[in-house]
Amino acid sequence: MDFLTLFLIYLCFVLTIVALLCICSGRKETFLTRSINSASQVLSFIIPTRLQRVTQRVLHRLFHTRSCLFVVLHIALQAAVYGEYTWEVFVYCRELQFHLLLLLLPYLLLAGNMGCFILCSRANPGTITKSNHAALVKIYAYDGVLFQKGVLCPTCDMEKPARSKHCSFCNMCVHRFDHHCVWVNNCVGAFNAKYFFSYLLSLTAMAATIATLTAALLTRVVLLSGLMHSSYINDQGQECAVEILFLIQHLFLTFPRIVFMLGFVILLTLVLSTYCCFSLYLALTNQTSNEWYKSRRYGCSHQQTSQPHGRQVVYKNIYSKGVWMNLKEIFKPPTVLERKKK
């Protein structure tokens, strides 16, 4: 394997470890978290104390404060994929007379994705300050289950508006808080949710387009070479017809970087498509990731919840106004004036 192949493998390994750590840092008392905590306790008897402290400070800075590490990793992965696409896939496709507009489509999607990325990372997600607190607290009503009136944020020393949350990464309360995205190094809230949704869609389209073009290239190569109608001699000296496994091995030996990139972008497409579907579901039902997680965490979603004095309350999403209005709210967040008209 050459340097680029090893570099891609290393990046995928780092990305997997980072993703697991991100999941653990955002979810308490999960099986994975408990397993990592148990393993860290065992390693604490082996690793020197000074090294443990340094590691804890580094992990705290990475997963509990704003950091550009994931932005750099995000750009590095895109650069590696597009570098391979440009220097090999694009060239081979041109030789096989693929339509030029199809080959340029990933670059157009990249331009749109970078624009959405910059807007999402630089836009104000909906920071709640003393100057806008009075206006923002009037936009959403308290549902009495997930959001209670009169609850103060101990850090900001202000009453929490409904659907808001204090972000420990950014150290601020965010209006209609969804989640903190380390890949854009910013919170996703009421005012930049549309940029994040567009960023996610364009990123998924990029991965799917590159995966489709790369798969089409390899398919065209196989068909032109006539491998499917040929045979080979196995280790026992017997003549065998070409099978899928042999074909994959042959392609990997012939185009190692292309096949590796194809596997990576296919996996990325599946993951991003699943997340896109989940985000679309949240948008159409007018929920945030924070609200969806809290409703499952406390067992409130469409279930009876025990309240003081023995009362039973059935949780209902009071913020949903229908599919079209819910989707519209992502791209045009409601204001105080709009709410008063209703």
Side-chain angles (χ1 to χ4, degrees):
M1 294 186 183
D2 58 12
F3 174 76
L4 181 57
T5 305
L6 292 175
F7 178 67
L8 288 172
I9 294 174
Y10 174 74
L11 283 179
C12 291
F13 174 75
V14 171
L15 182 61
T16 303
I17 298 299
V18 163
L20 290 175
L21 289 173
C22 287
I23 293 172
C24 294
S25 64
R27 299 289 185 267
K28 296 183 179 180
E29 299 301 325
T30 62
F31 173 76
L32 188 57
T33 305
R34 291 195 297 267
S35 300
I36 291 181
N37 288 336
S38 301
S40 62
Q41 291 177 1
V42 174
L43 292 175
S44 65
F45 295 102
I46 305 173
I47 302 176
T49 305
R50 180 175 296 180
L51 182 59
Q52 291 181 39
R53 292 174 181 173
V54 173
T55 304
Q56 289 175 356
R57 285 197 295 267
V58 171
L59 292 177
H60 176 78
R61 182 167 181 81
L62 289 179
F63 302 111
H64 296 282
T65 59
R66 297 188 67 177
S67 172
C68 293
L69 171 66
F70 296 94
V71 176
V72 174
L73 180 60
H74 168 268
I75 296 175
L77 285 171
Q78 280 192 340
V81 170
Y82 270 87
E84 178 59 27
Y85 174 80
T86 301
W87 298 117
E88 289 204 271
V89 177
F90 186 91
V91 173
Y92 288 140
C93 286
R94 287 297 293 162
E95 292 178 357
L96 294 175
Q97 298 182 345
F98 277 64
H99 200 287
L100 182 60
L101 290 179
L102 288 176
L103 299 180
L104 293 178
L105 182 57
Y107 299 105
L108 297 177
L109 291 172
L110 176 63
N113 178 259
M114 292 305 297
C116 295
F117 170 78
I118 294 173
L119 289 173
C120 186
S121 61
R122 294 299 182 94
N124 177 12
T127 306
I128 301 174
T129 62
K130 294 186 182 297
S131 60
N132 64 12
H133 176 268
L136 294 178
V137 80
K138 298 176 182 179
I139 293 180
Y140 293 112
Y142 293 92
D143 61 5
V145 181
L146 299 182
F147 303 103
Q148 304 282 349
K149 186 176 179 59
V151 177
L152 295 178
C153 174
T155 305
C156 300
D157 195 26
M158 292 185 295
E159 180 183 5
K160 288 185 176 182
R163 312 192 76 182
S164 68
K165 186 179 183 297
H166 185 87
C167 176
S168 58
F169 289 83
C170 303
N171 195 29
M172 63 185 184
C173 283
V174 178
H175 174 54
R176 198 183 183 276
F177 177 86
D178 190 277
H179 70 288
H180 181 91
C181 181
V182 295
W183 300 105
V184 299
N185 198 26
N186 197 8
C187 288
V188 178
F191 301 146
N192 67 343
K194 55 181 176 290
Y195 302 133
F196 178 78
F197 195 65
S198 302
Y199 161 76
L200 187 60
L201 286 176
S202 60
L203 190 63
T204 306
M206 283 167 48
T209 303
I210 292 178
T212 302
L213 289 172
T214 306
L217 167 65
L218 295 178
T219 302
R220 181 75 65 86
V221 169
V222 170
L223 293 176
L224 292 176
S225 64
L227 278 174
M228 296 300 297
H229 305 289
S230 59
S231 59
Y232 69 97
I233 306 298
N234 61 16
D235 296 336
Q236 287 75 32
Q238 300 174 343
E239 185 176 357
C240 302
V242 172
E243 302 172 347
I244 297 298
L245 182 60
F246 176 85
L247 187 61
I248 295 175
Q249 291 176 344
H250 174 76
L251 289 175
F252 187 80
L253 292 174
T254 309
F255 309 102
R257 293 188 299 269
I258 294 179
V259 174
F260 182 82
M261 184 194 72
L262 177 60
F264 175 73
V265 292
I266 287 177
L267 178 61
L268 190 62
T269 302
L270 294 175
V271 173
L272 290 174
S273 299
T274 303
Y275 189 47
C276 271
C277 292
F278 176 67
S279 299
L280 182 61
Y281 161 75
L282 293 179
L284 295 178
T285 56
N286 206 329
Q287 298 183 79
T288 64
S289 299
N290 177 53
E291 292 164 3
W292 182 88
Y293 175 66
K294 285 178 67 175
S295 66
R296 269 66 187 171
R297 179 182 177 186
Y298 295 109
C300 298
S301 181
H302 307 293
Q303 298 178 7
Q304 290 188 342
T305 306
S306 298
Q307 295 291 323
H309 310 296
R311 292 184 300 167
Q312 296 290 328
V313 177
V314 177
Y315 171 72
K316 182 181 180 181
N317 181 14
I318 66 173
Y319 306 113
S320 181
K321 309 178 186 68
V323 172
W324 172 247
M325 293 301 296
N326 292 341
L327 192 60
K328 181 182 178 182
E329 187 170 315
I330 296 294
F331 295 92
K332 186 181 178 183
T335 62
V336 180
L337 294 176
E338 290 175 344
R339 185 169 181 246
K340 285 182 177 180
K341 293 178 182 179
K342 298 177 182 178

